[in-house]
Amino acid sequence: MYSFKTNSKSKLIVNKSKFFSFSFFINDVNDVKEILKQMHNEYPDASHICYAYILDDSTNNYYYSDDGEPNKTAGFPIYNLMKKNQLFYSLIVVVRYFGGIKLGTTNLKNAFLSVSSDLIKTENLCEIKQTLLYQIKIDYSQIKIINRQFNNQIIDRKYNDLDVTFLVWIEKEQINLLTDYDATLVNNKYIVKCYNI
């Protein structure tokens, strides 16, 4: 599973119509609502603001909108492109300014696909994993083991007289590794974290 590690944008002009695409990492539907509100404020004179988002890989955690474009020529192709590239917790918004020349459904669909595809580049993507925040208490002899096991997932360390406390993002698949440690769950809600590819 992948997402966008940075917000990026792209531009395409087809027969005087201008297409501006934007990519976003999102955690939930509230992020989508906030971003769309912001896009409508920034581009109040746009002809269409089309988008697609996918949260997780369950069957109903996605949505797409053609925003008045012909049915399935804008949001749906963006959604399929995201699905094909395994993009989750991701939102792509395309702002269109009509240039006065009708493009036809095929060219319109291709324009939305092309400007959205420009956003999906390896340097702009990260691997995403569901994580839980744990506090792990260990003695000093275990520091190297913890550093090796959880390396870039450690977000804080506190050194005390007798022990060390680590604050660590634990991936879903790693929870069984915690049985050897004094580990306490800090946040029982899964948070999606982005890791470099």
Side-chain angles (χ1 to χ4, degrees):
M1 293 195 312
Y2 304 97
S3 188
F4 298 106
K5 64 182 170 188
T6 56
N7 298 344
S8 62
K9 59 184 177 179
S10 185
K11 179 182 176 182
L12 176 70
I13 299 173
V14 180
N15 288 343
K16 298 184 180 179
S17 276
K18 293 177 184 174
F19 297 82
F20 300 92
S21 62
F22 304 86
S23 64
F24 302 92
F25 170 82
I26 55 170
N27 269 305
D28 54 36
V29 177
N30 290 329
D31 287 350
V32 175
K33 288 177 183 173
E34 193 57 42
I35 291 166
L36 291 175
K37 183 179 172 185
Q38 181 186 328
M39 299 301 280
H40 280 93
N41 288 338
E42 284 183 39
Y43 303 95
D45 55 341
S47 308
H48 306 276
I49 297 179
C50 307
Y51 66 93
Y53 73 81
I54 303 175
L55 287 171
D56 56 39
D57 53 359
S58 71
T59 54
N60 58 358
N61 265 339
Y62 70 90
Y63 191 80
Y64 56 84
S65 169
D66 295 317
D67 191 34
E69 293 283 23
N71 190 33
K72 295 194 175 180
T73 58
F76 186 67
I78 298 168
Y79 164 73
N80 277 334
L81 178 71
M82 293 171 70
K83 207 167 145 188
K84 178 182 156 198
N85 285 278
Q86 298 178 37
L87 289 171
F88 296 93
Y89 297 94
S90 301
L91 166 68
I92 292 178
V93 179
V94 179
V95 176
R96 181 189 180 197
Y97 287 91
F98 180 58
I101 301 169
K102 289 191 176 181
L103 302 181
T105 55
T106 302
N107 288 335
L108 186 61
K109 181 179 171 183
N110 289 340
F112 277 101
L113 276 173
S114 178
V115 76
S116 298
S117 295
D118 287 347
L119 302 170
I120 306 171
K121 298 183 172 123
T122 304
E123 65 271 12
N124 189 34
L125 299 180
C126 60
E127 188 176 2
I128 56 170
K129 295 179 181 178
Q130 287 184 312
T131 61
L132 291 166
L133 188 60
Y134 273 88
Q135 180 177 287
I136 302 172
K137 209 176 260 194
I138 59 165
D139 61 49
Y140 278 86
S141 65
Q142 297 173 298
I143 289 176
K144 284 185 180 178
I145 297 167
I146 290 286
N147 281 328
R148 202 176 326 111
Q149 274 186 323
F150 303 113
N151 192 11
N152 64 344
Q153 296 165 242
I154 299 168
I155 59 171
D156 192 26
R157 296 171 176 86
K158 285 193 178 121
Y159 297 91
N160 305 312
D161 290 338
L162 301 173
D163 55 30
V164 184
T165 303
F166 285 82
L167 208 52
V168 183
W169 289 113
I170 301 295
E171 296 163 19
K172 212 175 182 179
E173 308 79 41
Q174 294 177 311
I175 291 174
N176 61 330
L177 298 175
L178 297 177
T179 54
D180 297 335
Y181 305 108
D182 177 10
T184 308
L185 182 62
V186 176
N187 185 346
N188 65 357
K189 181 184 173 197
Y190 278 108
I191 303 291
V192 178
K193 301 301 283 180
C194 219
Y195 297 94
N196 288 337
I197 297 173

